[in-house]
Amino acid sequence: RSHAAGVLAYGMGKQFFEDSRFREAAACYKLAASVLESHLGNRAVHVGKVLMDLGTTVAATGNLDGGIAALKRAVTVLRRSPVGELHIDSAQAYTWLAQMQERTDCVEESLLSFGEAYRICRSKPDDPLLQKHLKKLRPKMTGLYANLGRFHDAVEACDSGPSVNADDAGDRGATLFDAGRYQEAAEEQERALELERGSENRPG
């Protein structure tokens, strides 16, 4: 099978996915991953991206275990790639993996995967894509740690940047309170109120 056949299969997978025909999309992505890996090797970023799409699509068919397996392959390929793992594709792959692991009640594994995404985002503070991803990632990690009673880890996660909305600030304040950091908790709750008032006064 030629490289062009792999590219074509990938494009068909995209179209099937857009039409919510997930089983057909998954079959195309699986073929694309196989063909492209045979031509480009198991260290090509493009192969990792195809595996990311395969993982999320297989999960959309209800097969979470299959989705997890594909995403584990994706992060391995991206880690081995010439550009390394410190970029948005790897952070996103680890995040999707963590979300699926959480849905299968593998909470500790989920936290490890979220932690890898968190580490990647923190590694490049000047990368706007990674920092945008970190803002979405932080509240999720904070909540998971807090639910497990691991307040030190929750505080470390919520200390990675300023709160971006009232709900985020409220959750952060509660986490700081549970960790015994009462003054900071009070300041964060005040920030939550300010953000909420600002939202109410915003036109439209």
Side-chain angles (χ1 to χ4, degrees):
R1 295 169 184 165
S2 67
H3 176 270
V7 174
L8 177 61
Y10 183 60
M12 290 176 63
K14 287 283 191 184
Q15 186 59 58
F16 279 131
F17 187 88
E18 290 176 5
D19 294 338
S20 298
R21 296 171 61 179
F22 301 124
R23 294 190 184 281
E24 292 95 328
C28 288
Y29 287 144
K30 186 175 181 179
L31 174 61
S34 175
V35 173
L36 293 174
E37 186 171 357
S38 69
H39 284 272
L40 303 176
N42 62 1
R43 297 184 179 186
V45 172
H46 188 50
V47 173
K49 291 182 177 181
V50 175
L51 288 168
M52 288 173 65
D53 286 334
L54 175 62
T56 56
T57 305
V58 169
T61 69
N63 182 1
L64 288 174
D65 289 338
I68 287 171
L71 284 167
K72 284 183 175 180
R73 287 180 62 201
V75 297
T76 298
V77 170
L78 292 170
R79 184 170 61 247
R80 293 172 176 172
S81 71
V83 298
E85 66 176 350
L86 302 181
H87 55 82
I88 188 61
D89 292 326
S90 289
Q92 185 64 73
Y94 273 116
T95 300
W96 286 342
L97 175 59
Q99 290 169 339
M100 289 184 201
Q101 288 168 328
E102 183 187 5
R103 288 170 62 189
T104 56
D105 295 324
C106 298
V107 179
E108 290 295 337
E109 290 182 22
S110 175
L111 281 169
L112 289 174
S113 296
F114 273 128
E116 287 299 303
Y118 177 84
R119 174 183 61 80
I120 290 168
C121 290
R122 293 292 300 275
S123 71
K124 291 187 175 180
D126 296 328
D127 187 314
L129 290 177
L130 286 175
Q131 296 315 299
K132 182 178 180 180
H133 192 74
L134 179 61
K135 288 181 180 179
K136 298 177 182 177
L137 185 65
R138 191 193 64 202
K140 184 63 179 177
M141 287 186 65
T142 301
L144 278 174
Y145 280 130
N147 287 340
L148 292 172
R150 294 169 58 177
F151 299 115
H152 175 77
D153 292 324
V155 169
E156 182 179 344
C158 77
D159 275 348
S160 62
S163 302
V164 295
N165 56 51
D167 288 340
D168 188 11
D171 291 343
R172 184 177 184 182
T175 300
L176 289 164
F177 184 88
D178 288 334
R181 292 166 60 170
Y182 303 120
Q183 180 62 38
E184 293 169 86
E187 293 171 356
E188 197 64 21
Q189 290 298 329
E190 180 61 30
R191 175 171 172 75
L193 291 173
E194 292 176 0
L195 287 168
E196 187 172 358
R197 286 194 293 266
S199 176
E200 290 173 352
N201 295 331
R202 191 176 299 123

